[in-house]
Amino acid sequence: MTGVTASSGTGAILSVSELRCSFDGVNAVDGVSFEIAHGTTVGLIGPNGAGKSTVCNIIAGTIKSSSGHVVFDGHDITDHPPFRVARDGLIRTFQLSAEFRRMTVLENLVTAGQNQRGESLTGALLGRWYWGRQERELVARARQLLERVGLWERRDDYAGNLSGGQRRILEILRALMTEPTMLLLDEPMAGVHPDIRSRIADQLEELAAEGLTMLMVEHELETVERLCDSVIVMAQGRIVSIGAMEDIWRDEAVLDAYLVG
Amino acid sequence: MSSAMQFYVSTLLVYAGVYIIAAWGLNLQFGLTGILSFAYILFQSIGAYLAAVFSLGPPASRADVETYAFGANLPFPLPILVAAAGGALLAAVLGPIVLRRLRSDLQAITMLVMSLIATDVISSDQSLLNGATGLSLVPAPLSTVLGLSSLQYQWFFVGMVAVICAIVYFVMNRITSSPLGRALRTVRESERSAAAIGKNVFALRMRAFIVGGAIAAVSGALLVLFIGSWAPGSWLYIETFVLFAAVIIGGSGNNLGVAIGALVVPVGSVEAVQYLPSFGPPGMIDALQWVVIGLLLLLFIWFRPTGLLPERRRYFPVSDLRNGRQAASEADR
Amino acid sequence: MDLFMAGLGFGLIAASIMALAAVGFTLQLGVADIFNFSFGAVMTASALAGYEANAAGLNVWLCLPVGAAFGAALSVCLNRAILTPFMHRGAGLFGMVIVTLGLAIVIQNLILAIWGPVYFTYQVDNSSTVRWAGMILTTSQIALAACSAAIMVVLHLLLTKTKLGKAMRATAANADLARTSGIRTSRVNDTVWALSGALCGLGGVAFVINTVSFQAATGTDYLILVVAAAVLGGAGQPYGAMIGALIVGVASEVSATVISPDYKDVVALVILIGVLLVRPRGLMASVDLVQAGGEETIA
């Protein structure tokens, strides 16, 4: 199973078709189509300015497309606002991690729980008896996640005081707290110390093994090679090649794209 | 205490209560949610005007004294409730215009501009709310029913403000310590991250904006019922700045800190000046007072940006953590 | 029609004066990324410097360069001593709005405390009235407009023909990109504060030469219109600011003569809010003033 196809198929969780996006007349994304199968991990690679992050941002709803469609889990989510895409179960992370700095590690996770009773105004005014039970369940889930990565002891620290690598892990855990169907990782290794990278990769590998679908934009080819079932190569706003990692480098077009930039 | 002293102290207490309530509303909008609510004084003002016209009676009954577009003679707690509803409504109308798409500094300037437009329009249109002269002789609530001496009435009013303070504190406390308060803080900390975990940033901002607007309106209503008059000069945009200074100096995000900030900045600085021997040309002390408030704010942002009482770190109660372990081990089984 | 033309005449004068300040403001917003609420207070301070020079016997027209020099010096000092340190200390976009607002209140009230709540009046030579196509203008107003136009031309040449000007525009358009392209943005920054400060000072003095008198709050009150012009044109866009000034100046003066002077500012401000709603980036956008989050709805 390669997990990714250029044409229509069944079993796809995310399907992107003929996506286009232009800024000031420049086509940043120029007719991109692909599908991602349930339970696979796919890498999105390519030289700088290839339009990878733009594709990622369009899927997540942070940038509006000029034309094309994004279908996730059977729903057309093209140009939906980011929070709706997230509520549908497609959760993204950012190149520069944006944790809630002046909130504790545990708060960062617990707040990511979906459909919280205490987030409505009446719920909040009714008080703890109304939402306390759900709160305990969320804390329990957060605890499991934090204990897995050894961050439980730091639960009461402000997230802003964590190291870069820890913050990246926290961001991934926060995504997991929402019980996502799929993760969209925008350069998960960017700005992370090389020693920590393998720890993050371990985490992601574990998630992949549990059957979580992931699409990751990544420069670090070593990581992509280790984690991804298949890769999509982009250059100048278009897809150059799609396939398994080991085949991709035999593709003339891919070498051209990387050499020409 | 001599009766003059009692008058002084009770007046001060009413002002303190009013400013504390106003600062709490701003704390909800700015301290917790991060909205640069530069039109905040409008909410206080609409509350004051509504409480005034709904205490004064129908416009025709006061035609010889002042002109205003609408009014009624509502029994006591109603003018305050109408004011609160008006503040909430104003927030519900302004919010979608301002909070939806603009970058935070443009949100601030847009609200500041709205504040100025409102001052201009209300001052120039005599028929709406008596123009630049403003409304006056607003009857004190229940004063005829109670039949108290004026000094006793002062203390009655202090009691009323204290009760309303307690109610607003209860609301603020429930919100800040709930998942809602936590979600509002995620919006303040990182809007895009909040959206990325499914928080509807606009809806959350609106919630804070509307509740904060209602709270501000209540403070305005209390103020006008106490002093009996309200005019465009009472709600210049600079009053918003005073409340921002109170929130930041007291401790943005901390209800108790913000209350202290309200005592230090608006109440303290105004009252402290009264005890200084007057010096310099007229107006000089007022100007220096503003200089002091401005400098104090800059010094705080530099040396202690978290304020006198910083926002509390939220620890989860032990019961959550303990039950968490049980739930976790059950889940493992 | 006569009324309209008279209003148009005043509007063009107001616009030419406003353009000076609006271009200065937009440069700070674009290049330094600071929404500088103290700009108005610096305008008042510069006008005051002009007033002192004028009172000491200097011809009122020579007060323009005095105000420009004072505005430039004060702006560079404020930036170096207060704004940049606060930025380095981590005050964001958000915090800087409050810092500059605090600064504005301090400066304005220092002036009030030292000079008192008085109206300062410039000694302007008696000028004759010129009538043309229904417009009634004084010679000094025409001279002001000519000065402003000349300054705009010089500014245009500075921005397009010199290396420094190009660096400035590049920084305004995209500071990160400019930095990676090898532009020394810190040096650009100092120049921008000097240049925008000079424009601020010029704007302040020119405004007062037109209105003759001012007081401590004049600059801050006027700032709102200047901001409206700058934001209308698109933050960081000098040419946009000129167009914005034209719209705001003409709209406010025409409505003042045609409708009522009471609503002079209201009309300009309503236009601003209208434009922000329809086109939040302003007429000529470069800096991204729209939230990344996009549109949301109440769930």
Side-chain angles (χ1 to χ4, degrees), chain B residues 214-235:
Chain B
I215 291 175
V218 168
S219 80
L222 288 173
L223 192 55
V224 81
L225 293 177
F226 186 69
I227 59 181
S229 61
W230 196 250
S234 337
W235 48 282

Side-chain angles (χ1 to χ4, degrees), chain A residues 24-173:
Chain A
D24 306 324
V26 179
N27 291 328
V29 176
D30 193 6
V32 165
S33 306
F34 60 84
E35 292 199 328
I36 290 173
H38 209 286
T40 57
T41 302
V42 177
L44 181 55
I45 63 172
N48 273 328
K52 310 177 298 281
S53 277
T54 311
V55 169
C56 191
N57 283 325
I58 294 174
I59 295 172
T62 12
I63 296 182
K64 293 240 180 295
S65 64
S66 311
S67 68
H69 288 280
V70 181
V71 176
F72 176 70
D73 211 4
H75 305 286
D76 191 328
I77 59 161
T78 321
D79 297 336
H80 279 196
F83 82 94
R84 276 201 189 290
V85 176
R87 285 182 186 181
D88 284 339
L90 176 51
I91 302 287
R92 69 159 312 166
T93 64
F94 296 96
Q95 267 180 42
L96 291 171
S97 34
E99 72 290 345
F100 305 122
R101 296 178 61 86
R102 281 177 297 170
M103 290 166 66
T104 66
V105 167
L106 190 51
E107 275 189 306
N108 263 267
L109 293 194
V110 171
T111 193
Q114 298 295 293
N115 301 317
Q116 295 197 32
R117 284 154 70 91
E119 275 186 16
S120 73
L121 191 54
T122 38
L125 291 180
L126 284 173
R128 184 164 265 278
W129 67 267
Y130 181 74
W131 46 261
R133 188 192 155 90
Q134 189 186 23
E135 187 89 342
R136 281 193 293 278
E137 288 163 10
L138 290 173
V139 170
R141 263 232 317 286
R143 178 174 195 160
Q144 276 185 311
L145 289 171
L146 286 171
E147 281 178 342
R148 234 162 81 168
V149 297
L151 279 176
W152 176 245
E153 297 311 316
R154 307 210 47 186
R155 63 186 176 273
D156 287 332
D157 286 356
Y158 278 127
N161 295 339
L162 296 181
S163 71
Q166 287 170 326
R167 272 184 278 177
R168 184 48 55 94
I169 289 174
L170 183 68
E171 197 187 6
I172 294 169
L173 296 187

Side-chain angles (χ1 to χ4, degrees), chain B residues 34 102-103 107 191 200 302, chain C residues 89 94 105 289 291 296-297:
Chain B
L102 297 173
R103 199 171 85 158
Q107 286 182 3
E191 196 183 324
N200 186 344
W302 184 264
Chain C
R89 217 173 157 98
F94 194 83
I105 284 169
L289 295 174
Q291 292 171 359
E296 286 118 347
T297 45

Side-chain angles (χ1 to χ4, degrees), chain C residues 115-140:
Chain C
W115 276 270
V118 291
Y119 274 88
F120 306 96
T121 308
Y122 277 19
Q123 300 299 318
V124 184
D125 313 334
N126 287 330
S127 56
S128 49
T129 320
V130 180
R131 285 163 192 273
W132 179 73
M135 301 184 202
I136 312 151
L137 303 170
T138 63
T139 42
S140 61

Side-chain angles (χ1 to χ4, degrees), chain B residues 32-67:
Chain B
L32 225 58
T33 318
I35 303 169
L36 275 177
S37 185
F38 277 15
Y40 188 71
I41 204 67
L42 284 189
F43 300 118
Q44 192 181 43
S45 175
I46 196 177
Y49 276 123
L50 285 174
V53 295
F54 285 108
S55 303
L56 280 167
S61 67
R62 317 258 323 153
D64 50 334
V65 190
E66 49 204 342
T67 51

